[in-house]
Amino acid sequence: MARDSNRLTAVAVRKLTAPGRYGDGGGLWLQVTSTGSRSWLFRYMLRGRARQMGLGPVDLVSLSEARDAARDSRRLLLQGVDPIDARNADRQATMLQTARGASFRECAERYIEAHQAGWKNPKHRAQWSSTLETYAFPVLGGLPVSDIDTGLVLKVIEPIWSTKTETAARLRGRVELVLDWAAARGYRDGANPARWRGHLDKLLPAKSKVAPVQHHAALPFKDIPALVASLRERDGTSARCLEAVILTAVRTSEALEATWSEIDLAEASWTIPARRMKGGREHRVPLSPRVVDILSALPREGEFVFPGAKAGRPLSNMALLTVLRRMGREDLTTHGFRSTFRDWAAETTAFPNEVVEMALAHAITSDVEAAYRRGDLFPKRRKLMEAWGMYCTGRQ
C-alpha cells in the first residue's frame, strides 16, 4: 500500500529540482517553480473551497518543520478554523503588540510631522514642541502610549492648571490630539483620558473659574482719531504698519506678513491668501485712500510690504508694540484695534452686521447662512472701510 503521508525524504527534497509539485501527504506539498525557487505549501479544502497556504522556502524550513506546520494546520481545520485566518490574526496581534510599545514621545513627534504642513503659523510647531517638551515628556515621554491613563494625564496638567491655566488648557488639547492619533493608528484603545467634556471637566475646575477671560486691551473708538493723528507724526516702517493695521482692521500677523504680490494699488485692494488666514479662506481687503497713500509711499525693497531689520524677514509683532509703548500706550494691544473698529461700526453706523463681520474675516457660525452667503460683500465693505478711514483721520 502506498504511503498516505511522509512520502518525501530529506534526501529526495534536496534532489527534486524539476518544476512541479511533490506531495508528502496530509496536504503538504513541495513546490518547485520554473525559476528554481522551492517552497512548502499546505493545500486544503474548507467549506467547499480549495485553499493553499505557503509555509516558507525549503532553505529556511526543513522537511520536519514543514510537517509540523502542516499538522498544526490540520488541527485547526478539525476545529473549523481556517489556518490562513489564524496565521493572519497571529501576525496582526504581533504587529499590534509591537506598535503598542510606541512611546508617547514617538507618537507626538509623528503627529507633529504629519500635521505641520497644515499649520499656517510657523510658530505653531515650535509652540507644540515646546509645551510638550517642557510639561508632557518628563512624565509621559518614555511611556508606551497604550499605558497612558487619566492619572498620568492629570499628573501633567494639574500642577499648572491654576497657575498657568491657558498653557495647561492648550497642553491638554495637544495631549488629547496625540492620543487620538495613536488610537486611530491602532496603538491604543479605549476612551481618550485627556478629553475634557464629560471627563476632565469633572475633575478640574473650569478654565474660566481659575483664569477669567481677559480680552485684548482696546481703545475706545472716540479716542482713535487722536491716536491716529499722533501716529502719523511718527516716521518709520513700524508706525506705517501699525497705522495700516488700524485702518484695515486686519489681524496683526496678516499685516506683518503682507507681500507686494498680494497688493493691487490700482484696484485699491489687498488679497490675503487662505494659507495666511486664521479661517483658512482667502480674504479680500478694500483699501481706503489713506492706506493706498501709505503703501504707495513705501519703498519696494524685497518681498514684504513691511520689511524687518533682518533681510528677507518681515517686521515682528514687538515692533508694533514698541511704537505703542513710545507713544505712552502700553495699555493697548494691536489686536485690540479690531474691537475698536467693531464697536465703532456697531454704535455709530448703519452697516449691517454681516458686512462688519466679513470685514473682520470672522467665520460664519451658521451652516445655513454659510451655504447661502457665497459672495464677499466687497462693494459694501469698501464703503465701510472708507467710512472707517475717514473717521480715523478726523474727516468724518
Side-chain angles (χ1 to χ4, degrees), residues 263-270 284-287 292 378 382:
I263 306 295
D264 186 338
L265 291 178
E267 295 294 329
S269 67
W270 168 23
R284 286 200 301 164
V285 182
L287 303 178
V292 171
F378 193 76
R382 182 177 292 284

Side-chain angles (χ1 to χ4, degrees), residues 20 37 57 94 97 103 114 161 223 374:
S37 65
T94 300
Q97 188 62 36
S103 69
W161 188 255
D223 297 330
R374 299 186 183 278

Side-chain angles (χ1 to χ4, degrees), residues 102-341:
S103 69
F104 178 83
R105 179 188 286 272
E106 291 170 340
C107 291
E109 290 173 348
R110 291 179 62 187
Y111 177 91
I112 293 171
E113 190 66 28
H115 289 81
Q116 63 177 327
W119 293 339
K120 296 182 293 295
N121 191 332
K123 295 180 181 178
H124 201 49
R125 178 190 171 101
Q127 291 171 343
W128 257 83
S129 300
S130 176
T131 53
L132 292 176
E133 190 72 48
T134 302
Y135 302 106
F137 290 165
V139 178
L140 308 177
L143 297 178
V145 72
S146 58
D147 292 348
I148 294 173
D149 57 16
T150 301
L152 288 168
V153 172
L154 286 173
K155 191 174 180 180
V156 170
I157 297 171
E158 204 164 19
I160 60 171
W161 188 255
S162 297
T163 57
K164 300 178 179 178
T165 309
E166 187 60 36
T167 298
R170 292 177 180 175
L171 175 63
R172 182 210 63 78
R174 288 165 185 168
V175 171
E176 181 181 17
L177 288 172
V178 171
L179 295 180
D180 276 344
W181 179 91
R185 287 281 182 172
Y187 298 165
R188 59 173 288 120
D189 51 30
N192 192 319
R195 71 189 186 282
W196 177 254
R197 190 179 299 276
H199 185 54
L200 291 184
D201 62 345
K202 310 302 180 187
L203 303 174
L204 295 170
K207 187 175 71 169
S208 60
K209 299 294 183 182
V210 292
V213 175
Q214 295 184 353
H215 296 286
H216 292 278
L219 185 71
F221 63 81
K222 64 182 179 61
D223 297 330
I224 199 72
L227 183 134
V228 170
S230 176
L231 186 59
R232 291 184 65 173
E233 295 176 358
R234 294 181 170 272
D235 295 327
T237 304
S238 298
R240 298 291 72 77
C241 182
L242 179 56
E243 187 179 355
V245 167
I246 294 172
L247 294 175
T248 56
V250 298
R251 296 179 180 87
T252 308
S253 63
E254 294 161 6
L256 292 174
E257 298 173 11
T259 63
W260 286 112
S261 62
E262 300 169 1
I263 306 295
D264 186 338
L265 291 178
E267 295 294 329
S269 67
W270 168 23
T271 303
I272 308 175
R275 60 181 173 77
R276 294 210 303 107
M277 293 299 299
K278 182 179 180 181
R281 185 175 181 178
E282 182 182 277
H283 180 56
R284 286 200 301 164
V285 182
L287 303 178
S288 63
R290 172 55 187 164
V291 178
V292 171
D293 290 343
I294 291 173
L295 298 180
S296 298
L298 291 174
R300 296 203 176 196
E301 300 175 346
E303 173 188 10
F304 294 103
V305 176
F306 303 106
K310 292 183 178 180
R313 297 292 301 167
L315 282 176
S316 70
N317 185 46
M318 285 306 300
L320 304 191
L321 294 176
T322 298
V323 173
L324 288 172
R325 184 167 64 246
R326 289 173 178 170
M327 295 174 68
R329 298 312 304 257
E330 297 91 339
D331 57 318
L332 300 177
T333 66
T334 52
H335 193 85
F337 291 114
R338 284 165 58 86
S339 295
T340 302
F341 166 76

